[in-house]
Amino acid sequence: MHVFRSVSDAHLPPTAITIGNFDGLHAGHEAMLSELKSVARQHGLKTCVLTFEPHPREFFTPDAAPARLTSLREKLELLKSHHIDYVIVQRFNRAFSSLSALDFRDQILAKGLNARHVIVGDDFCFGAKRAGDFALLQASPDFSACSLATVADQGTRISSTAVRNALAAGNMDLAAGYLGRPYSIAGRVVDGDKIGRTLGFPTANIQIKHNRPPLFGIFVVEVHGLEKPYQGVASLGFRPTIHGGDAYPKLEAHLFDFKREIYRQHLRVDFLHKLRDEEKYIDLPTLVKQIEKDCQNARDWFADHHEAGLKNLKVL
């Protein structure tokens, strides 16, 4: 997969293109990418995704912008797993946001990205003040265009907003259903204050680059990026019992039956089940007792799900 940081940097062969923020890369996005690859195969085109950095809502209303589901690196890794040929990460700034709908269609898509076919969602608008619509795309003399219907689950439109709502409610199963995989955060293990080690529960302090996480609390997790997946418990939040709390959220994962130093390793934390919200305890011994309960509850959860999996295998 080739990644370009602006349309002007890309010199592409004829392409089939889809456009969007692709935050979280959920089941609706996957349907779009599947159609993109199908059209590209039929017409001998390369696949191209045009996405934006920052998210347009972060540019226009930074204080009211939604929490990101994925960092840019995570989004690119997910797109790579779908075998996309080209990704354009267009800087969304004042000049780009001021492009007229006609200029976006003719100068960006047709000329800049050599579009021969464009696939968009049924609610797609583009250009300054979102003046462009699907009819304007269809009227292009340079490419054909199609729109895909909304992907829904039991009457709910699958969207980044629906995923955020499920995560905020602590419904990991629902979020995983929308995503087609467990929700995860990936990052490098960085130095922390090592308080977990002094409490008897060493943790991997994982750097997070989201503007703010879409979920908080204590979770059952599975950690990937080492020689095998490790089960564990993770805290994502402000640690209110430690020194009165942190200014910025921290992701700390305690891996079961694991004692090595893993600083600088890049890990992915899959959030499988929410145990509880963060709480402030009266002292560290009380916190330790709760951590012990969290670890036991997490081990019980893994045991229950292992047994359920074995039962399903027997039924099959």
Side-chain angles (χ1 to χ4, degrees):
M1 185 177 80
H2 300 279
V3 179
F4 296 95
R5 295 310 297 255
S6 73
V7 171
S8 60
D9 291 340
H11 303 281
L12 307 184
T15 57
I17 292 180
T18 189
I19 310 158
N21 294 303
F22 291 91
D23 188 25
L25 222 155
H26 52 65
H29 295 140
E30 291 186 351
M32 187 82 71
L33 297 178
S34 178
E35 178 67 15
L36 179 72
K37 290 185 286 187
S38 176
V39 166
R41 283 194 300 268
Q42 292 172 23
H43 299 283
L45 304 171
K46 295 294 186 180
T47 54
C48 179
V49 169
L50 173 60
T51 190
F52 308 103
E53 183 66 27
H55 188 296
R57 288 177 66 182
E58 292 177 359
F59 175 77
F60 287 116
T61 56
D63 294 335
R68 285 203 192 195
L69 298 172
T70 47
S71 67
L72 177 59
R73 174 173 176 162
E74 289 167 330
K75 178 164 63 175
L76 292 175
E77 288 176 347
L78 288 167
L79 288 170
K80 184 177 180 179
S81 73
H82 285 272
H83 307 289
I84 301 302
D85 295 313
Y86 299 101
V87 176
I88 314 300
V89 183
Q90 175 61 46
R91 183 72 180 171
F92 197 89
N93 53 23
R94 185 67 60 188
F96 190 83
S97 69
S98 299
L99 282 173
S100 70
L102 200 60
D103 281 345
F104 181 86
R105 186 193 72 179
D106 296 343
Q107 299 302 316
I108 299 299
L109 297 180
K111 184 177 179 181
L113 299 178
N114 206 3
R116 295 293 182 269
H117 189 83
V118 176
I119 303 172
V120 294
D122 56 8
D123 59 348
F124 180 72
C125 296
F126 59 97
K129 299 182 180 179
R130 295 171 56 84
D133 57 12
F134 181 62
L136 186 61
L137 285 180
Q138 280 188 307
S140 171
D142 300 299
F143 55 75
S144 58
C146 70
S147 68
L148 292 190
T150 292
V151 176
D153 177 65
Q154 298 182 1
T156 298
R157 178 178 183 268
I158 296 179
S159 65
S160 299
T161 298
V163 176
R164 289 187 197 100
N165 290 341
L167 293 173
N171 194 334
M172 298 298 106
D173 288 340
L174 183 60
Y178 292 158
L179 292 167
R181 64 188 185 280
Y183 178 72
S184 65
I185 292 178
R188 199 166 299 283
V189 179
V190 296
D191 283 324
D193 48 25
K194 300 179 175 60
I195 289 178
R197 182 180 302 177
T198 65
L199 300 178
F201 296 93
T203 59
N205 184 22
I206 297 168
Q207 186 179 34
I208 53 177
K209 295 185 177 181
H210 302 64
N211 57 346
R212 61 183 181 277
L215 73 175
F216 293 97
I218 313 302
F219 299 88
V220 179
V221 299
E222 189 169 74
V223 178
H224 299 257
L226 302 169
E227 70 280 359
K228 67 174 185 177
Y230 279 89
Q231 298 172 352
V233 173
S235 167
L236 178 52
F238 298 92
R239 307 188 307 170
T241 308
I242 307 298
H243 305 316
D246 299 307
Y248 300 98
K250 284 185 168 61
L251 173 56
E252 295 179 307
H254 172 64
L255 283 59
F256 296 154
D257 308 312
F258 186 87
K259 296 181 179 180
R260 298 201 318 268
E261 297 282 2
I262 50 173
Y263 292 115
R264 311 313 302 163
Q265 290 274 3
H266 194 272
L267 303 181
R268 188 187 84 229
V269 179
D270 288 357
F271 294 82
L272 306 182
H273 175 71
K274 184 171 182 177
L275 292 170
R276 60 181 178 87
D277 291 328
E278 273 195 307
E279 295 181 51
K280 183 174 183 178
Y281 297 98
I282 59 173
D283 53 31
L284 290 181
T286 306
L287 173 61
V288 169
K289 288 181 180 179
Q290 183 59 58
I291 295 173
E292 290 172 347
K293 292 179 183 178
D294 293 335
C295 289
Q296 187 57 55
N297 289 337
R299 289 184 185 274
D300 291 344
W301 187 91
F302 279 115
D304 290 344
H305 281 70
H306 178 69
E307 290 178 8
L310 291 177
K311 289 178 181 178
N312 290 336
L313 287 175
K314 289 178 182 178
V315 170
L316 292 174

